[in-house]
Every structure is written in structure tokens, then in C-alpha cells.
Amino acid sequence: MASVAYNFMTVDSNAHHRRYSNAGRDTGVSVDVLSETSSIPRSAKKRGRKKSSASVVQSNHKKVKVQVCVQFFKVGEIDTLKEQYTADVIVRARWREPSLDGQIQSAGDIQDFQKYWNPKLYIENTIGDPKEILRHRLTFNNRGECFVSEKRIIKGTFMENLELDNFPFDVQDLTVTVASEFPSYEVEIVEDSENRHMVNRQSFVDEQEWHLYVHTECEKKAIVIDQADNSVKRSAVSVKCRAARRPGYFVWNIFMVTFLICSLAFATFSVEKDLPQNRLQLSFTLVLTAVAFKSVVNQSLPRISYLTYMDKYLLTSMVMLSTVCAWHGIVTTLLKDREHADKVEVIVLSVLVALYILYNAGFMLAIYIVPYKKRRIMAQKDREYKEGWQNRVKSKY
């Protein structure tokens, strides 16, 4: 990112000069000083004169507000292992162009966009070179104020740091971050006050594995331009939709299979106590089966440094199997008094079965309280979003 941090110093310099020429006359600061604003982060450290002049500009000239609206037109595959997702996104942006106020005859598509000021918007969390289609138009409101509207159609892959604590009962944010190459004291990215962010659920590709919610949330961010100078930042807006993983596959193919494997460990108590080698052979086979099963499961997850719900369940099951193996080794020391050994083993078996049943019941209760609470919140936000949209449509008519 550092290589493009100061691209705005050379791109469309004439348009940038015209944009702020009025601001220079209003504040009494020369246009030459305004053009030096972009060099504040580096030249301020070398020459104190430029630093003081640029500080005056930064505090006096009015920043440009760029209103942004993001529409998730088509959400593709969500890759948990690579922590990324594919999508077709429409980013709409608009900003004021005071030099054309009142020239309503100019409304329509812009043929030569190079002569207009450009906030140099880009998508901050894309991977590689996404396919983009740009279109610009001039629009006017009832007071004759001119706006430049930009429509950006993006098809590509987006990075997303997945929070997998609740896997496979997790709800993930799918984020698109729109930023400007200008520093935040020149351009401010804000949420569009007239248009609404939208999610098209009908074109969702990964419907079999995920449930896509219709509501969106917007958050303002500040991106550091140069890591050596944290005082200069870019304005950005992150628009996120949300998707909940459908846990049915993991419940039946992982949790249920693990439960059955662990339950079979209690069947080893039916083998005579004076045959510990047979008991241990059966128990070790179950342990190795659980280890191989967990290794296969780990291939579907990135290498994270914390435990997911599935990890906790599998590890607890392995602890239970290991405890059974340990008991089969200990019981051989009690064979001198067979009647006492039988009583102790009945107590141990009853305790292990009770603990395992209580653990599974508590595990299901924890899932309902913690991960599914977030799903209930998301469902409530969906209802509020739909109600707000319906009320907005009714108010227009």
C-alpha cells in the first residue's frame, strides 16, 4: 500500500487545482500553498516553512465529502480455509462539483472524465486485480447544485478475517471497504444519505452451506497511509453484510460420528478385567480413530491459534477416551480383591457415563446460548431492515 500512498500528488493535478482554487481565495491562502498540501507528510520533516503553510491549509480549506453506497449484487463462494470470498459488487459514489452549479444542460453521462476532479476511490480489501467497469454522470438537485455520480461494478475476490470461535455455528461478516487515495483532511468518505446499501439474496451462490442475511451495516474507518507517520490517514467506509453457516453437515458428519466413537469406549468395560490387553487394544483403536478423524477435520480450517467449538468437542472426546484407557491400566492393580474391583469399576463406569451425558447436554446448551444468540440478533436486524425499507417506500407514495 505504501507504493500508492501519494499517487494523488501527480494524478489529475489540473482538476485538483481547479477544485481547490475557490477555497484558496476564500481563506486568503495562495493556490500554490494549496497544491503543497499533498506533500505535508514528507516535506514537513525537511522544511519548517512548508509545514506551517500546510497546517494553515489543512485547517482552513473545506474537505470534500464523498457519499458512498455499496450493493452486494452477487455473493459467490465463501472460502473458510483461505479466509476470502468472491462477489460482484456495485459501488455508487457521488460528490459535489461546484464549478458546474446551474449548468443543468450538462446533465448526463460524462465522456471526458479527466477534466473533472476525482476522489480516486478504490477497494481496500480486494485480492489481485478485480474486474472493474466505471461509469460517470452529472446530476443536479432542485437547487441546481451539481453532483458527479460514479458507478463502479466490481467482480473479484475480497479478503475477510473470519472469526471462527463459534465454528461451525458461526456468523461471518462479508466486508467491502471503500477508501480514497487522498488524505482524510482533503476527502471524507461518508455513507450515502439518499441511497441504501443492499444485498441480493437471489443470486447467492453458496446457499447450500450459508444463509445470507439481507441487512447491512456501515462503519467509518481511518487507514494509515505511511506506517512511519501515523498522523496522515485516509478516510474509508466499510460496508458489511452477514452470512450464517449452516451447521447441519458438521453436526451429522462430525459431531454425531465423534459421539458414537466415544460412546463405544464404554463397551470395552464388558471385557473381563483379567484381559487388560484386549481392553487396551480396543480402547487404543478408538483413540487412533478419533485422532485420524480430527486430522481430516482440520484440513477444512485455517491454522488458527484458538479453539473452535468443534475443536473443543473433539478434544474433550479424546480426553474421555484417554481416561478410559488409563482406567483399564489401573484396574489390573485391583484384581487381588475381585469383589472390590467390581464395585470400584461400577462406580467409575457410572461416573464416566454421567459426566459424558452432562457434558453433551451442557455443550448443546452453550451452543444455544452463545452462537445462536448472534443468529437471533441477526434475524431481528433483518426484520428491522425490511420494516424500515417498507416504511421508506410507503413514505414516498
Side-chain angles (χ1 to χ4, degrees):
M1 298 300 294
S3 61
V4 296
Y6 298 96
N7 283 348
F8 59 84
M9 290 191 292
T10 56
V11 177
D12 294 336
S13 57
N14 293 331
H16 185 72
H17 174 87
R18 288 194 300 271
R19 175 78 193 191
Y20 290 107
S21 60
N22 293 332
R25 289 193 292 271
D26 294 340
T27 59
V29 182
S30 66
V31 176
D32 293 335
V33 175
L34 284 169
S35 64
E36 291 176 356
T37 305
S38 59
S39 61
I40 292 174
R42 295 182 177 178
S43 60
K45 298 179 181 179
K46 299 180 180 180
R47 293 194 294 269
R49 180 181 61 81
K50 280 192 176 181
K51 180 178 180 180
S52 60
S53 300
S55 300
V56 173
V57 175
Q58 183 173 343
S59 60
N60 282 282
H61 85 262
K62 185 177 180 181
K63 67 176 67 174
V64 181
K65 287 189 177 182
V66 179
Q67 301 187 52
V68 172
C69 173
V70 177
Q71 298 175 346
F72 293 86
F73 180 71
K74 181 179 180 180
V75 179
E77 181 184 2
I78 303 174
D79 194 330
T80 303
L81 186 62
K82 296 181 180 180
E83 295 189 277
Q84 62 187 34
Y85 71 96
T86 59
D88 294 357
V89 179
I90 299 176
V91 178
R92 301 179 185 274
R94 61 191 185 95
W95 58 90
R96 288 275 288 112
E97 185 57 57
S99 62
L100 297 179
D101 286 353
Q103 302 181 25
I104 303 179
Q105 68 278 4
S106 303
D109 292 344
I110 300 177
Q111 302 299 328
D112 184 12
F113 187 65
Q114 298 298 325
K115 63 181 181 180
Y116 296 95
W117 181 85
N118 183 3
K120 305 302 294 181
L121 299 180
Y122 69 98
I123 309 301
E124 196 269 338
N125 62 323
T126 55
I127 299 176
D129 296 323
K131 297 180 180 179
E132 292 189 356
I133 300 176
L134 284 173
R135 181 183 177 184
H136 298 91
R137 291 177 58 87
L138 290 179
T139 60
F140 295 82
N141 59 16
N142 296 333
R143 294 175 294 181
E145 295 176 337
C146 180
F147 289 83
V148 177
S149 299
E150 178 182 272
K151 181 180 179 182
R152 185 187 302 258
I153 303 176
I154 305 166
K155 182 177 182 180
T157 304
F158 300 84
M159 296 182 297
E160 186 63 55
N161 293 325
L162 302 182
E163 298 177 359
L164 298 171
D165 302 74
N166 298 330
F167 179 87
F169 311 100
D170 51 326
V171 177
Q172 298 297 340
D173 295 340
L174 306 179
T175 308
V176 172
T177 302
V178 184
S180 170
E181 291 187 9
F182 288 93
S184 58
Y185 54 79
E186 290 190 8
V187 173
E188 180 183 6
I189 309 295
V190 297
E191 188 177 6
D192 198 327
S193 58
E194 297 183 4
N195 297 313
R196 200 173 192 184
H197 310 296
M198 296 180 63
V199 180
N200 184 14
R201 292 178 57 183
Q202 297 179 353
S203 299
F204 185 37
V205 175
D206 223 355
E207 182 67 28
Q208 293 293 330
E209 187 176 350
W210 297 84
H211 170 75
L212 187 65
Y213 295 101
V214 297
H215 73 272
T216 60
E217 288 190 2
C218 184
E219 177 186 2
K220 292 191 64 175
K221 297 177 64 176
I223 302 175
V224 177
I225 295 180
D226 190 350
Q227 297 297 331
D229 185 7
N230 293 333
S231 62
V232 182
K233 300 179 180 180
R234 290 178 177 149
S235 177
V237 164
S238 292
V239 180
K240 61 183 71 173
C241 65
R242 292 186 170 96
R245 194 188 305 271
R246 299 184 186 273
Y249 171 85
F250 300 95
V251 170
W252 296 112
N253 293 279
I254 296 178
F255 286 99
M256 181 57 69
V257 173
T258 304
F259 174 79
L260 294 176
I261 291 173
C262 194
S263 299
L264 289 175
F266 301 119
T268 59
F269 284 84
S270 62
V271 181
E272 291 294 331
K273 300 180 188 63
D274 53 0
L275 295 175
Q277 66 275 15
N278 292 343
R279 283 189 169 193
L280 291 173
Q281 183 180 11
L282 294 173
S283 300
F284 287 160
T285 301
L286 293 175
V287 171
L288 293 175
T289 303
V291 171
F293 191 66
K294 188 177 187 307
S295 299
V296 173
V297 171
N298 286 341
Q299 295 178 4
S300 62
L301 287 174
R303 296 181 180 178
I304 52 180
S305 59
Y306 51 87
L307 296 177
T308 66
Y309 267 73
M310 188 170 65
D311 291 331
K312 294 174 183 178
Y313 188 83
L314 293 175
L315 289 175
T316 303
S317 299
M318 293 180 65
V319 169
M320 179 63 70
L321 293 173
S322 301
T323 303
V324 172
C325 291
W327 168 251
H328 292 331
I330 294 173
V331 73
T332 57
T333 62
L334 305 176
L335 293 179
K336 295 180 181 180
D337 188 348
R338 187 61 179 262
E339 184 178 352
H340 176 69
D342 290 342
K343 292 181 179 179
V344 174
E345 185 166 81
V346 169
I347 295 174
V348 171
L349 177 60
S350 301
V351 171
L352 289 177
V353 171
L355 288 176
Y356 191 58
I357 293 175
L358 289 175
Y359 171 74
N360 281 277
F363 186 80
M364 289 187 289
L365 182 61
I367 290 173
Y368 178 79
I369 294 175
V370 181
Y372 271 81
K373 179 181 179 181
K374 189 171 184 179
R375 292 175 180 244
R376 292 191 291 272
I377 294 174
M378 297 298 108
Q380 177 63 27
K381 290 185 176 181
D382 261 14
R383 289 191 291 268
E384 294 174 355
Y385 181 88
K386 292 177 181 178
E387 291 175 359
W389 179 258
Q390 291 174 357
N391 295 333
R392 185 175 180 179
V393 172
K394 291 180 180 177
S395 64
K396 289 183 178 180
Y397 297 98

